[in-house]
């Protein structure tokens, strides 16, 4: 394949240059003036930007890819590699005696996929066997490990349990995980202390992996939570990556200046800390996160039993109200039953008014009726913070979304628009229109920076010998179309996407090709070394 006449933004952050690119056997073999070369396929990239394929450092497509391997909502925005297993939630490891607890817990993002594997390795083999539309790297989730060993017990592990968890970390790293993720606002991750995480991260360190974290609190205790993440990196000696960095809740707006300073100071002391961000002022997660942590102990079944108890309900309502929730800022995105479908796209405040119940009761009843399988969007950040975080040198871009297909089985499930729009939104709104970043800087944050973070030795740059993961787009046209009320819309302006040397998007249309590879930490580093 030949790509001619394009403006190459190579992923380093350097200014673009004009060059042709020759691809053979899945890799970039030549960069230069290739007008006289011949090829089976020639792409004229005149007036277009030729960039490395985008690497989505933070994704939750773990089950979506099994349900629908084409990964259209990611491929169509130029993503060629994504990292799953985030926020402490991975597909494995699984122990038979706690499998049911994990299945129930992952329900909102599991799409009825059967967990017919035990290890990260078995899960990755299954992905490989069925084929995938883009490259996939996984982390192992601390929450998943804790469920396997301790279920949803709200306590610290015994020495034996901690050793058992270390064993599972070790096995997962050997299976090819790139590191461990934690989700410290979610049970059972929230029941752990800093020491437990340090001990497990030391095991990750033996394999050269990283620690990524959905920190303990992104609201009032944001600063302490970032300090904890840095402390874990310092004492375990491994790189730390803070997921979807933000300050949630009006009272906390502006605190990101302080947290970014903390990261800078840590880096000056030799602690390797970075973060990622999605370019929206609203988040999306389980509605059940509004329920205080103590009520989740024992898993989803126990939570629902507590929500049915009038006495406990009163206590919960009181605790929630003390936090002054903004019910008009919480929008229901998806429910699992037909009965409450009409609530999708409405805020808790609107539903409350429509049904004549107070907001806390609406929330409790919805969680009971849907067995906690409810996803919600929380409008809780400010645009100024989004720009502050985006501009910072330690920030890369990650969607925190899923790979879905509008026409597929997941097309009926409402999404946060980030599943379709993250990367084009940065390039259209924040580069072209608002000039928050330069084009070259934005692409660095989407390509070589995440590749470096994960330890990819031959992806993330346009360079001879590297895998041909390439995105070609029109910089004057690129724009995200997905909205909160109508999220299933592809962006515009992305003309071609190449994964491992194969065309997966041609003239803005998905070709149906499944050209992705499963990436494993141990291989990502050794194969590349032998290749150079």
């Amino acid at each position: 394949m030949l790509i001619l006449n394009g403006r190459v933004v190579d992923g380093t952050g350097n200014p673009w240059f004009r060059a042709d690119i020759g691809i053979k056997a899945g890799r970039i073999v030549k960069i230069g003036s290739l007008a006289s070369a011949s090829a089976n396929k020639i792409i004229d990239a005149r007036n277009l930007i030729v960039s490395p394929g985008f690497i989505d450092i933070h994704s939750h497509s773990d089950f979506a890819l099994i349900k629908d391997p084409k990964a259209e909502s990611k491929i169509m925005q130029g993503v060629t590699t994504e990292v799953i297993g985030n926020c402490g939630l991975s597909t494995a490891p699984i122990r038979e005696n706690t499998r049911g607890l994990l299945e129930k817990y992952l329900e909102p993002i599991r799409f009825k996929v059967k967990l017919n594997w035990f290890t990260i390795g078995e899960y990755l083999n299954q992905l490989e066997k069925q084929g995938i539309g883009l490259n996939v790297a996984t982390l192992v989730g601390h929450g998943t490990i804790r469920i396997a060993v301790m279920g949803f017990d709200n306590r610290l592990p015994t020495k034996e349990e901690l050793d058992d968890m270390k064993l599972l970390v070790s096995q997962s790293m050997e299976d090819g995980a790139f590191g461990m993720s934690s989700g410290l606002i979610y049970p059972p991750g929230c029941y752990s202390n800093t020491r437990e995480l340090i001990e497990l991260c030391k095991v990750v360190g033996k394999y050269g992996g990283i620690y990524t974290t959905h920190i303990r609190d992104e609201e009032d205790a944001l600063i302490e939570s970032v300090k904890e993440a840095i402390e874990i990196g310092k004492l375990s000696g491994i790189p730390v990556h803070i997921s979807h960095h933000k300050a949630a809740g009006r009272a906390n707006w502006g605190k990101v200046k302080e947290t970014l300073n903390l990261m800078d100071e840590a880096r000056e002391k030799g602690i390797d800390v970075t973060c990622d961000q999605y370019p929206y002022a609203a988040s999306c997660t389980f509605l059940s996160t509004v329920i205080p942590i103590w009520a989740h102990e024992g898993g989803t079944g126990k939570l629902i039993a507590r929500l049915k108890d009038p006495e406990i309900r009163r206590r919960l309502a009181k605790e929630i109200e003390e936090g002054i929730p903004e019910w008009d800022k919480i929008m229901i995105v998806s429910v699992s039953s037909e009965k409450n479908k009409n609530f999708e796209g409405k805020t808790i405040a609107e539903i409350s008014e429509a049904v004549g119940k107070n907001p806390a009761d609406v929330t409790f009843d919805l969680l009971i009726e849907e067995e906690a399988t409810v996803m919600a969007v929380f409008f809780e950040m400010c645009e100024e913070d989004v720009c502050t975080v985006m501009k910072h040198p330690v920030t890369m871009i990650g969607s925190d979304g899923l790979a879905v297909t509008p026409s597929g089985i997941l097309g009926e499930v409402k999404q946060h628009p980030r599943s379709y729009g993250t990367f084009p939104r940065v390039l259209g709104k924040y580069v072209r229109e608002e000039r928050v970043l330069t084009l070259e800087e934005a692409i660095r944050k989407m390509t070589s920076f995440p590749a470096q973070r994960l330890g990819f030795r031959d992806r993330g740059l346009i360079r001879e010998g590297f895998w041909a993961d390439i995105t070609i787009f029109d910089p004057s046209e690129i724009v995200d179309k997905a909205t909160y009320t109508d999220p299933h819309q592809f962006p515009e302006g992305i003309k071609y996407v190449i994964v491992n040397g194969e065309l997966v998007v041609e003239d803005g249309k998905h070709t149906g090709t499944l050209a992705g590879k499963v990436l494993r930490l141990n291989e990502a580093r050794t194969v590349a070394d032998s290749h150079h």
Side-chain angles (χ1 to χ4, degrees), residues 102-114:
L102 183 66
E103 281 185 331
K104 193 86 203 92
Y105 181 57
L106 293 173
E107 197 88 39
I109 53 169
R110 191 163 62 82
F111 311 116
K112 302 190 168 50
V113 169
K114 279 263 176 288

Side-chain angles (χ1 to χ4, degrees), residues 249-317:
R250 190 176 295 274
N252 304 302
W253 292 354
K255 281 186 183 176
V256 294
K257 294 190 184 68
E258 199 173 327
T259 55
L260 291 165
N261 275 341
L262 285 172
M263 292 185 222
D264 285 339
E265 285 164 18
R267 293 192 66 83
E268 277 164 26
K269 292 183 189 135
I271 304 160
D272 185 356
V273 56
T274 52
C275 66
D276 65 60
Q277 173 202 44
Y278 47 81
Y280 296 87
S283 62
C284 179
T285 189
F286 309 133
L287 177 63
S288 57
T289 55
V290 304
I291 308 292
I293 280 171
W294 59 265
H296 293 264
E297 187 178 351
T300 309
K302 294 265 176 40
L303 168 68
I304 288 163
R306 290 185 187 108
L307 292 177
K308 289 177 175 170
D309 178 320
E311 189 112 328
I312 296 180
R313 274 175 86 110
R314 277 195 291 277
R315 179 182 160 192
L316 286 170

Side-chain angles (χ1 to χ4, degrees), residues 57-78:
I57 187 89
H58 190 102
S59 152
H60 288 283
S61 303
D62 311 54
F63 296 100
L65 289 167
I66 286 192
K67 207 69 173 169
D68 192 346
K70 276 166 69 179
E72 283 187 68
S73 72
K74 292 296 181 72
I75 291 281
M76 297 294 280
Q77 51 173 314

Side-chain angles (χ1 to χ4, degrees), residues 31-82:
I31 301 172
S33 177
L34 304 173
S36 55
S38 59
N40 307 342
K41 177 79 190 167
I42 294 178
I43 294 172
D44 183 1
R46 198 179 306 271
N47 301 327
L48 302 178
I49 296 290
V50 180
S51 131
F54 308 144
I55 297 173
D56 189 346
I57 187 89
H58 190 102
S59 152
H60 288 283
S61 303
D62 311 54
F63 296 100
L65 289 167
I66 286 192
K67 207 69 173 169
D68 192 346
K70 276 166 69 179
E72 283 187 68
S73 72
K74 292 296 181 72
I75 291 281
M76 297 294 280
Q77 51 173 314
V79 173
T80 56
T81 300
E82 63 175 4

Side-chain angles (χ1 to χ4, degrees), residues 1 34 61 143 180 218 221-222 342 352 369 421 463 473 485 498:
M1 195 186 304
L34 304 173
S61 303
M180 182 178 83
E218 296 177 322
L222 173 67
N342 55 325
S352 167
E369 287 172 23
R463 193 165 275 181
F473 64 91
T485 45
I498 298 164

